[in-house]
Amino acid sequence: MNDNSGFVATVLRDLAASTAVILAAWGALGGATNALTTKMRLRDAVRHILLGGLIAAGMGSLSMAVITSWLGLPPQAIPAGGAAGSAAYLVGVFGPAVIELALARLRAAREGSDD
């Protein structure tokens, strides 16, 4: 029994130190910021938090490259963003909004094509 609890503790410690989990946490915080600043319903807020976390974890370290390109920063800024949490946070703030905008446009185009 002691070996099993040691294994579980090791897995949990490695999971907590995982870059993807850390980025997901920062992205979820960004999604929460987006939800709080736009005063949305609880259901929509939870969706933004989950999307922010998933997008940030999925983009990984690519998020810093995307943000430096978007802001017109020099390529040397990518390693300087080693605190990838800041990039993941921004992705969490803006990612869900970009996805919802794209989905709204797709829905509008689909509904317009029926006419």
Side-chain angles (χ1 to χ4, degrees):
M1 187 83 168
N2 194 13
D3 290 334
N4 192 22
S5 65
F7 172 74
V8 171
T10 302
V11 168
L12 290 176
R13 184 177 52 243
D14 290 346
L15 184 62
S18 167
T19 303
V21 171
I22 293 168
L23 292 176
W26 278 108
L29 288 172
T33 301
N34 184 342
L36 288 171
T37 57
T38 56
K39 295 183 181 179
M40 55 183 63
R41 294 178 308 186
L42 180 60
R43 178 177 173 243
D44 296 330
V46 170
R47 185 176 70 240
H48 271 252
I49 292 168
L50 291 174
L51 274 174
L54 291 172
I55 293 167
M59 287 188 71
S61 56
L62 176 65
S63 60
M64 192 61 199
V66 169
I67 288 173
T68 54
S69 173
W70 175 47
L71 295 176
L73 299 172
Q76 295 83 0
I78 293 174
S86 58
Y89 179 82
L90 285 174
V91 167
V93 170
F94 295 110
V98 169
I99 288 176
E100 288 201 5
L101 179 67
L103 289 175
R105 288 186 178 179
L106 287 172
R107 284 185 200 113
R110 185 178 53 195
E111 290 170 4
S113 65
D114 291 342
D115 292 337

